[in-house]
């Protein structure tokens, strides 16, 4: 049975949800599932904007067959050539052999890399700013490289002023019937997941996101249709501003993420003491995470949100505890920047963790280390209280 939604007079949502998938990209846990959006415009000509993941192909073809109601599919626009959106191209060509596949040079290069079938005769190669008329609806195509792959483009529909934005403005989380963000209590249901999606999936490409936001600024946009998550038709400045902050690596809030590795609870203990001291001084909005317990994507998401963080880790095998090392490596890969941090290192016979954390953090742009790293030998002792107090003081001063 088809399951479609009408998002405007002639435009239908023909996507679907996957609530069974454990990990997006086989990496990121998605406890609330994910949705794959695809949109079908019915005019003198018909155009499908992106397809969906193969996990929901059966429903997807029910949907488009229902909306087309016996008509042919004239165009398939490929804004993004990642397999979660383009797993159904071959079947589309089989069912609608005259369909023109609209993409840029890179789109077709990736299509041929991923899939073996030959549909070259169906290609309609476009360039930046090219236009395609469907009748009343006019589509214009704009490159959005590295948001989040190099072939990505945005499609702008001029009549209804709708932006089809590929992965941009998307989020983890399946839809619960309501297709529009203003129907979803977005801040409670989706915002954390939208940030986690952005930071982990697109986070590295802040500069490219900024370029695309600049390119979009002269456009009048009444609706944003991303490939994941709800459609935006109200309060667009809200999500545009979030993207502006996230892509500038600008914290949304003053607050502290304390993230530690701890084998026997001693580093953890110091992190709790620090958080209590900061709370006593009046600092609010603190989050404490154990790298061995929480998936890094959640920690990274909160690091993206807050202004300050503290890392604490024991030395392990004469190096850094693996979970902490991997988290810092990920942050470096994501070009994480513009934050203030303090360091807590622990060791029993040879302290390596402090220096390694210092070195890894120093490779990140505009990460300011506050105070003298605090080191404990196995456990914190009473005589170290003053040193810890001093570090907490300095850290506190950097927040207020
Ligand atoms: Fe993608
Ligand atoms: Fe995607």
């Amino acid at each position: 049975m088809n399951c479609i939604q009408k998002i405007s007079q002639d435009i239908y949502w023909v996507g679907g949800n996957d609530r069974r998938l454990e990990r997006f990209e086989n990496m990121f846990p998605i406890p609330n599932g994910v949705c794959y959006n695809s949109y079908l415009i019915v005019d003198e000509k018909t155009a499908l904007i992106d397809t969906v993941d193969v996990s929901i192909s059966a429903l997807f073809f029910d949907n488009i067959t229902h909306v087309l109601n016996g008509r042919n599919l004239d165009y398939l626009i490929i804004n993004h050539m990642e397999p979660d959106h383009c797993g159904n191209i071959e079947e589309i060509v089989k069912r609608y052999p005259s369909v023109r596949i609209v993409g840029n040079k890179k789109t077709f290069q990736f299509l041929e890399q991923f899939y073996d079938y030959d549909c070259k005769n169906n290609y309609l190669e476009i360039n930046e700013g090219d236009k395609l008329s469907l009748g009343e609806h006019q589509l214009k195509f704009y490159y959005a490289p590295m948001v989040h792959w190099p072939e990505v483009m945005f499609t702008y529909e001029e009549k209804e002023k709708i932006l089809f934005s590929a992965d941009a403005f998307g989020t983890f989380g399946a839809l619960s019937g309501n297709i529009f963000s203003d129907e979803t209590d977005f801040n409670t249901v989706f915002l954390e997941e939208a940030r986690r999606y952005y930071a982990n999936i697109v986070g590295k490409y802040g500069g490219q996101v900024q370029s695309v936001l600049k390119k979009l600024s002269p456009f009048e946009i009444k609706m944003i249709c991303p490939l994941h998550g709800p459609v935006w038709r109200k309060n667009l400045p809200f999500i545009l501003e979030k993207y502006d902050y996230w892509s500038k690596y600008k914290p949304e809030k003053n607050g502290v993420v304390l993230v530690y590795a701890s084998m026997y609870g001693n580093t953890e203990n110091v992190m709790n003491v620090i958080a209590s001291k900061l709370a006593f001084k009046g600092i609010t909005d603190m989050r404490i995470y154990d790298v061995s317990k929480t998936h890094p994507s959640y920690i990274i998401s909160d690091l993206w949100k807050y202004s300050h963080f503290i890392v604490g880790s024991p030395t392990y095998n004469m190096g850094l505890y693996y979970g902490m090392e991997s988290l810092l490596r990920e942050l470096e890969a994501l070009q994480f920047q513009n934050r203030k941090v303090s360091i807590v290192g622990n060791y029993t016979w040879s302290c390596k963790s402090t220096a390694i954390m210092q070195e890894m953090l120093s490779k990140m742009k505009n990460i300011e280390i506050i105070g003298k790293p605090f080191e404990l030998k196995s456990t914190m002792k009473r005589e170290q209280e003053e040193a810890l107090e001093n570090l907490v003081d300095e850290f506190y001063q950097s927040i207020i």
Side-chain angles (χ1 to χ4, degrees), residues 140 142 156 161 163 214-221:
K140 261 187 127 173
Y142 296 93
Y156 181 67
K161 306 190 186 323
L163 181 73
K214 270 197 197 96
K215 197 190 277 193
L216 293 178
S217 61
F219 289 48
E220 189 187 350
I221 300 171

Side-chain angles (χ1 to χ4, degrees), residues 3-5 13 17 19 174-180 183-184:
C3 182
I4 59 150
Q5 301 241 19
W13 175 81
N17 297 290
R19 297 184 184 84
L175 295 175
S176 300
N178 298 117
I179 184 84
F180 295 106
E183 301 170 333
T184 64

